[in-house]
């Protein structure tokens, strides 16, 4: 087996074990391969091994890879900060946006989403660890933003995303993921129909899956250290 295919197999196995350990169906957890700083050739190798979902943080780099990768059926997820003057390429070139945290951006994306495409699938990013410098909406402001986003015609609000502060102790990794799951459940009790929890990276995917992750975003474990 070549190396990218091997790493992909290992990550899939980690996901499968974590799911079974949590009493969940492994088929309910999607893998987003996070390609930031990696060359398009590295992503192409994973695509050749069967990977379909790719996540990118930096727009210019992302657009180059969207152009370069020609394998059919790839799904592109934007997971980085969106600047308000750079919404159009996100609206036109991506299937998903995980990092929505401002209404102004949401409105522009909805206006700019081409009519021939499906609505842009979005997650609202929540600043779950309450870090002053981190991206994401505060939990207290989440319900109001979710209502506004859900009303936009060309966006489809699918769920929530978080990137908690790094926590080396595996026993403590679950706390922020539990808070994100509880926030999603609270919205659903209010009448939302959200099915996506985008949480978990190379260092904490087991904890995220134990708390209900449906999309894990994995870079290092697939591509090696950055
Ligand atoms: C880089 C990144 C990841 C992947 O992290 P790894 O530790 O490389 O698995 C996931 N989500 C976001 C938002 C990222 O920026």
């Amino acid at each position: 087996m070549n190396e990218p295919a091997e790493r992909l197999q290992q990550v899939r196995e980690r996901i499968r074990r974590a799911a079974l350990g949590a009493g969940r169906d492994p088929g309910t957890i999607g893998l987003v391969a996070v390609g930031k700083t990696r060359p398009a050739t590295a992503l192409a190798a994973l695509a050749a091994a069967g990977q379909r979902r790719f996540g990118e943080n930096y727009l210019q780099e992302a657009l180059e890879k969207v152009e370069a990768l020609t394998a059919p059926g790839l799904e592109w997820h934007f997971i980085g900060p969106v600047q308000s003057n750079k919404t159009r390429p996100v609206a036109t070139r991506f299937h998903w946006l995980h990092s929505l945290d401002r209404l102004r951006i949401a409105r522009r994306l909805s206006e700019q989403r081409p009519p021939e495409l499906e609505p842009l699938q979005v997650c609202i990013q929540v600043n779950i660890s309450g870090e002053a410098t981190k991206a994401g909406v505060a939990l207290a402001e989440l319900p109001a933003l979710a209502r506004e986003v859900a009303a936009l015609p060309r966006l489809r609000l699918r769920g929530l995303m978080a990137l908690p502060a790094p926590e080396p102790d595996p026993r403590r990794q679950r706390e922020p993921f539990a808070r994100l799951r509880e926030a999603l459940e609270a919205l659903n009790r209010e009448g939302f129909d959200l099915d996506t929890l985008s949480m978990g990276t190379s260092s904490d995917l087991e904890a995220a899956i134990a708390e209900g992750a449906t999309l894990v975003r994995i870079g290092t474990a697939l591509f090696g250290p950055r």
Side-chain angles (χ1 to χ4, degrees):
M1 228 192 281
N2 61 14
E3 211 191 338
E6 231 165 81
R7 288 204 170 119
L8 180 59
Q9 195 47 44
Q10 283 163 4
V11 169
R12 284 179 174 165
E13 181 57 22
R14 268 181 77 186
I15 292 171
R16 196 184 70 86
R17 269 198 226 147
L20 296 179
R24 299 183 55 199
D25 172 3
T28 61
I29 299 152
L31 169 59
V32 179
V34 175
K36 62 168 179 260
T37 76
R38 321 289 181 169
T41 49
L43 278 66
L46 265 199
Q51 177 61 25
R52 286 290 165 265
R53 296 184 183 94
F54 289 92
E56 290 288 336
N57 294 63
Y58 308 113
L59 190 58
Q60 196 48 48
E61 185 192 331
L63 293 173
E64 285 163 20
K65 293 179 199 171
V66 172
E67 285 303 316
L69 267 74
T70 52
L74 299 188
E75 196 176 274
W76 290 97
H77 295 238
F78 198 74
I79 65 172
V82 183
Q83 291 167 279
S84 53
N85 61 343
K86 303 236 175 89
T87 50
R88 192 175 295 278
V90 175
T92 56
R93 308 310 299 272
F94 287 82
H95 301 89
W96 281 73
L97 170 65
H98 292 227
S99 43
L100 186 64
D101 63 0
R102 275 180 294 162
L103 181 58
R104 186 172 132 74
I105 301 277
R107 287 194 176 126
R108 293 178 71 100
L109 290 166
S110 184
E111 280 161 17
Q112 293 169 344
R113 183 68 169 172
E116 68 275 13
L117 298 183
E118 286 206 347
L120 183 65
Q121 312 292 304
V122 300
C123 291
I124 293 177
Q125 182 172 2
V126 180
N127 183 353
I128 205 72
S129 312
E131 293 161 281
T133 57
K134 261 269 177 77
V137 67
L139 266 181
E141 285 146 33
L142 171 62
L145 180 60
R147 279 178 222 121
E148 301 263 24
V149 170
L152 293 169
R154 300 295 293 139
L155 302 186
R156 172 138 182 252
L157 181 59
R158 294 292 299 272
L160 305 179
M161 182 274 237
L163 182 65
E167 170 54 69
D169 181 352
R171 289 167 303 179
R172 300 190 53 190
Q173 286 176 349
R174 284 177 63 161
E175 290 164 26
F177 297 135
R179 284 202 295 281
L180 195 70
R181 173 178 49 72
E182 285 157 12
L184 184 105
E185 289 166 354
L187 290 173
N188 281 343
R189 278 195 301 275
E190 220 192 89
F192 288 87
D193 183 21
L194 307 180
D195 61 8
T196 302
L197 278 170
S198 168
M199 58 189 198
T201 64
S202 298
S203 54
D204 54 17
L205 74 88
E206 285 80 7
I209 287 172
E211 292 296 344
T214 64
L215 287 176
V216 292
R217 308 180 310 269
I218 308 297
T220 310
L222 287 171
F223 296 106
R226 270 187 299 276

